[in-house]
PDB file of all heavy atoms in Angstrom:
ATOM      1  N   ALA A  22     -16.692  -1.777   5.584  1.00 64.00           N
ATOM      2  CA  ALA A  22     -17.865  -2.361   4.903  1.00 64.00           C
ATOM      3  C   ALA A  22     -18.137  -3.687   5.621  1.00 64.00           C
ATOM      4  O   ALA A  22     -17.248  -4.439   5.797  1.00 64.00           O
ATOM      5  CB  ALA A  22     -17.505  -2.511   3.436  1.00 64.00           C
ATOM      6  N   ARG A  23     -19.362  -3.928   5.800  1.00 66.00           N
ATOM      7  CA  ARG A  23     -19.845  -5.132   6.373  1.00 66.00           C
ATOM      8  C   ARG A  23     -20.095  -6.105   5.199  1.00 66.00           C
ATOM      9  O   ARG A  23     -20.571  -5.780   4.172  1.00 66.00           O
ATOM     10  CB  ARG A  23     -21.117  -4.995   7.080  1.00 66.00           C
ATOM     11  CG  ARG A  23     -21.021  -4.341   8.382  1.00 66.00           C
ATOM     12  CD  ARG A  23     -21.941  -4.958   9.478  1.00 66.00           C
ATOM     13  NE  ARG A  23     -21.601  -4.368  10.839  1.00 66.00           N
ATOM     14  CZ  ARG A  23     -20.751  -4.937  11.663  1.00 66.00           C
ATOM     15  NH1 ARG A  23     -20.258  -6.197  11.433  1.00 66.00           N
ATOM     16  NH2 ARG A  23     -20.486  -4.461  12.775  1.00 66.00           N
ATOM     17  N   LEU A  24     -19.569  -7.324   5.359  1.00 61.00           N
ATOM     18  CA  LEU A  24     -19.766  -8.401   4.332  1.00 61.00           C
ATOM     19  C   LEU A  24     -20.821  -9.390   4.865  1.00 61.00           C
ATOM     20  O   LEU A  24     -21.122  -9.360   6.040  1.00 61.00           O
ATOM     21  CB  LEU A  24     -18.462  -9.061   4.079  1.00 61.00           C
ATOM     22  CG  LEU A  24     -17.321  -8.196   3.557  1.00 61.00           C
ATOM     23  CD1 LEU A  24     -16.082  -9.027   3.412  1.00 61.00           C
ATOM     24  CD2 LEU A  24     -17.774  -7.541   2.223  1.00 61.00           C
ATOM     25  N   ARG A  25     -21.265 -10.250   4.012  1.00 65.00           N
ATOM     26  CA  ARG A  25     -22.277 -11.250   4.329  1.00 65.00           C
ATOM     27  C   ARG A  25     -21.588 -12.064   5.507  1.00 65.00           C
ATOM     28  O   ARG A  25     -20.442 -12.380   5.547  1.00 65.00           O
ATOM     29  CB  ARG A  25     -22.584 -12.106   3.219  1.00 65.00           C
ATOM     30  CG  ARG A  25     -23.634 -11.512   2.278  1.00 65.00           C
ATOM     31  CD  ARG A  25     -23.914 -12.406   1.202  1.00 65.00           C
ATOM     32  NE  ARG A  25     -23.147 -12.068   0.026  1.00 65.00           N
ATOM     33  CZ  ARG A  25     -22.771 -12.933  -0.924  1.00 65.00           C
ATOM     34  NH1 ARG A  25     -23.058 -14.211  -0.841  1.00 65.00           N
ATOM     35  NH2 ARG A  25     -22.045 -12.503  -1.939  1.00 65.00           N
ATOM     36  N   GLY A  26     -22.385 -12.563   6.343  1.00 64.00           N
ATOM     37  CA  GLY A  26     -21.914 -13.350   7.487  1.00 64.00           C
ATOM     38  C   GLY A  26     -21.364 -12.525   8.573  1.00 64.00           C
ATOM     39  O   GLY A  26     -20.894 -13.218   9.524  1.00 64.00           O
ATOM     40  N   GLY A  27     -21.636 -11.185   8.608  1.00 62.00           N
ATOM     41  CA  GLY A  27     -21.266 -10.522   9.728  1.00 62.00           C
ATOM     42  C   GLY A  27     -19.768 -10.114   9.882  1.00 62.00           C
ATOM     43  O   GLY A  27     -19.445  -9.448  10.877  1.00 62.00           O
ATOM     44  N   THR A  28     -18.996 -10.452   8.894  1.00 67.00           N
ATOM     45  CA  THR A  28     -17.608 -10.034   8.905  1.00 67.00           C
ATOM     46  C   THR A  28     -17.388  -8.535   8.464  1.00 67.00           C
ATOM     47  O   THR A  28     -18.246  -8.017   7.934  1.00 67.00           O
ATOM     48  CB  THR A  28     -16.676 -10.927   7.952  1.00 67.00           C
ATOM     49  OG1 THR A  28     -17.203 -10.770   6.634  1.00 67.00           O
ATOM     50  CG2 THR A  28     -16.816 -12.418   8.394  1.00 67.00           C
ATOM     51  N   VAL A  29     -16.353  -8.026   8.884  1.00 68.00           N
ATOM     52  CA  VAL A  29     -15.994  -6.549   8.546  1.00 68.00           C
ATOM     53  C   VAL A  29     -14.739  -6.494   7.726  1.00 68.00           C
ATOM     54  O   VAL A  29     -13.852  -7.162   7.941  1.00 68.00           O
ATOM     55  CB  VAL A  29     -15.867  -5.793   9.819  1.00 68.00           C
ATOM     56  CG1 VAL A  29     -15.477  -4.400   9.622  1.00 68.00           C
ATOM     57  CG2 VAL A  29     -17.061  -5.778  10.816  1.00 68.00           C
ATOM     58  N   GLN A  30     -14.911  -5.664   6.692  1.00 77.00           N
ATOM     59  CA  GLN A  30     -13.652  -5.468   5.765  1.00 77.00           C
ATOM     60  C   GLN A  30     -13.225  -3.949   6.013  1.00 77.00           C
ATOM     61  O   GLN A  30     -13.928  -3.087   5.735  1.00 77.00           O
ATOM     62  CB  GLN A  30     -14.128  -5.744   4.374  1.00 77.00           C
ATOM     63  CG  GLN A  30     -12.885  -5.545   3.370  1.00 77.00           C
ATOM     64  CD  GLN A  30     -13.343  -5.953   2.019  1.00 77.00           C
ATOM     65  OE1 GLN A  30     -14.479  -6.076   1.757  1.00 77.00           O
ATOM     66  NE2 GLN A  30     -12.362  -5.979   1.110  1.00 77.00           N
TER      67      GLN A  30
END
Side-chain angles (χ1 to χ4, degrees):
R23 289 216 172 262
L24 300 176
R25 282 185 262 149
T28 60
V29 175
Q30 183 176 7

